[in-house]
Amino acid sequence: MEVAGAEEALSVLNYSLSHIKWRLKPPAKRRLEIDVLALCTEMRPVIMVDYGGMMPELQERLCALLRFCQQESPIFEHLRVMVIEDMIYLIHFRALAEYVKSSLNSEVELVLVNLEQDPLKMVSLAEKCSLVADLIRVQNLFSVSFPLIETNNELSSCRTIDSTARANAESSSDKTLTSQSSGIIDLSSCMQDTQITVPTLNGWLLGYPVVYLFGKEQISDSIYNLSTKYLNIFRILVRNVSSKKGSRLEELMSFSVPYELSMGGSKEPWAEAFMGKMQSRWENCKQVWKVLQLEVSECYPQAIVL
């Protein structure tokens, strides 16, 4: 996307907000602008909308906004509204399909922090445990719901669980396709029959390189284990074409990692690999995002809401 395209996207977005009479407070409106630009430039495939109101009104407004934006400009053609239980997201359909494929092919370096034990421990998707298997099942469901159309049959090389898991994913996908006809992708069923929790799903879905892993039966213990730890907060900061001259950098995304597992900060191997991928995306739209940098700060132990 070039600068003109970004400016058009923001202009259409603001016109559409006015047309549907959605009056957002300035911080929420600015957050929406950054998130929409991140999707349109494919810097992020998924963003979670946890501002601008409560469900179900928030869902109605987002759907109305996106419908009007798509009528006004083709820039928004790949954007969709997705819901999972009581969470709502804006997604870039093709970018999410590519991200899911990369995850299944192990092209995305994902580090899992097991919160069910203390001291905390980092594990990989190669770990032989039921929670990891459940996460991969969820990824398979997403791969069916977000197919990446290719001519060279590359998708057949994606890691799979077994034929039963794939069949279950396809069955769930039938419900998803039905909901797409009403303008919403509903993947609420992806959490059924697994021990995967919302923070684990969101950690992977929102593109964090480090994801907290714990089961539904261990939520209270996991919250306690994390609440007693110092954290490093990793923030990806940007400045885009709509930023005022001399303004501060703004947050594109952020995630936390226990300090004891990330003492190297931005020099951690997984952090460098993550920034390498972000830099690759940035190269395709650096006219829009003038600055991209990683900031790491320390957070004292505190009550954590997962």
Side-chain angles (χ1 to χ4, degrees):
M1 176 181 282
E2 302 294 332
V3 171
E7 291 175 342
E8 179 185 343
L10 291 175
S11 177
V12 170
L13 176 65
N14 282 287
Y15 174 67
S16 301
L17 284 170
S18 176
H19 178 83
I20 68 171
K21 297 180 173 58
W22 189 5
R23 295 179 178 84
L24 289 168
K25 293 181 179 180
K29 183 179 179 182
R30 184 57 183 158
R31 183 70 257 162
L32 181 62
E33 290 176 344
I34 293 172
D35 285 343
V36 167
L37 267 188
L39 291 170
C40 290
T41 57
E42 299 186 46
M43 284 295 291
R44 298 190 68 186
V46 180
I47 61 99
M48 183 169 65
V49 183
D50 54 0
Y51 52 86
M54 302 292 290
M55 296 282 275
E57 184 181 18
L58 177 58
Q59 177 179 309
E60 295 170 357
R61 284 178 164 172
L62 275 176
C63 289
L65 176 66
L66 189 54
R67 278 196 302 270
F68 195 82
C69 286
Q70 289 172 338
Q71 291 172 7
E72 294 296 308
S73 172
I75 290 175
F76 298 88
E77 65 178 330
H78 294 293
L79 270 56
R80 301 287 187 275
V81 175
M82 180 176 73
V83 296
I84 300 176
E85 297 181 350
D86 60 350
M87 299 172 293
I88 188 162
Y89 311 82
L90 283 174
I91 69 170
H92 187 291
F93 194 100
R94 186 188 66 243
L96 178 54
E98 292 173 348
Y99 175 67
V100 172
K101 178 202 167 188
S102 296
S103 295
L104 289 169
N105 279 343
S106 300
E107 295 169 10
V108 173
E109 184 175 341
L110 187 64
V111 178
L112 307 171
V113 175
N114 186 346
L115 296 186
E116 294 188 350
Q117 59 185 24
D118 196 5
L120 304 181
K121 178 185 176 184
M122 283 186 165
V123 299
S124 72
L125 282 175
E127 188 85 3
K128 300 296 184 181
C129 75
S130 59
L131 283 178
V132 172
D134 278 351
L135 177 57
I136 297 174
R137 286 192 188 95
V138 171
Q139 291 176 340
N140 270 280
L141 187 151
F142 271 82
S143 73
V144 175
S145 299
F146 298 93
L148 186 60
I149 307 303
E150 299 187 51
T151 57
N152 56 5
N153 203 30
E154 285 185 20
L155 285 178
S156 62
S157 65
C158 289
R159 183 178 66 242
T160 59
I161 301 301
D162 52 44
S163 58
T164 302
R166 176 63 65 174
N168 290 339
E170 289 174 350
S171 176
S172 298
S173 182
D174 291 341
K175 301 175 185 177
T176 302
L177 294 175
T178 300
S179 61
Q180 283 188 54
S181 64
S182 61
I184 300 210
I185 299 174
D186 189 343
L187 275 179
S188 297
S189 61
C190 77
M191 303 289 284
Q192 295 175 3
D193 303 320
T194 77
Q195 281 296 307
I196 292 298
T197 57
V198 168
T200 297
L201 172 67
N202 278 337
W204 166 68
L205 193 56
L206 298 177
Y208 303 156
V210 177
V211 174
Y212 294 134
L213 182 69
F214 58 100
K216 295 174 182 176
E217 296 178 357
Q218 300 293 329
I219 292 177
S220 59
D221 289 342
S222 298
I223 289 176
Y224 176 79
N225 288 340
L226 190 60
S227 296
T228 60
K229 307 299 181 185
Y230 283 86
L231 301 176
N232 271 333
I233 309 299
F234 291 76
R235 302 172 67 219
I236 307 299
L237 302 176
V238 293
R239 178 177 289 120
N240 63 54
V241 292
S242 68
S243 301
K244 295 179 180 179
K245 188 175 182 180
S247 63
R248 293 181 178 179
L249 297 181
E250 298 175 287
E251 185 178 295
L252 181 71
M253 66 185 296
S254 65
F255 57 92
S256 68
V257 184
Y259 177 79
E260 63 192 72
L261 299 179
S262 61
M263 289 186 287
S266 61
K267 298 300 182 182
E268 290 284 349
W270 53 261
E272 292 183 331
F274 173 67
M275 277 306 293
K277 288 191 175 296
M278 293 299 293
Q279 289 280 354
S280 295
R281 297 176 189 172
W282 180 71
E283 287 292 333
N284 295 324
C285 53
K286 59 185 179 182
Q287 299 89 349
V288 176
W289 304 99
K290 303 295 185 181
V291 177
L292 176 75
Q293 69 182 50
L294 173 63
E295 175 186 273
V296 185
S297 58
E298 189 174 320
C299 177
Y300 292 100
Q302 56 185 293
I304 302 293
V305 178
L306 289 173

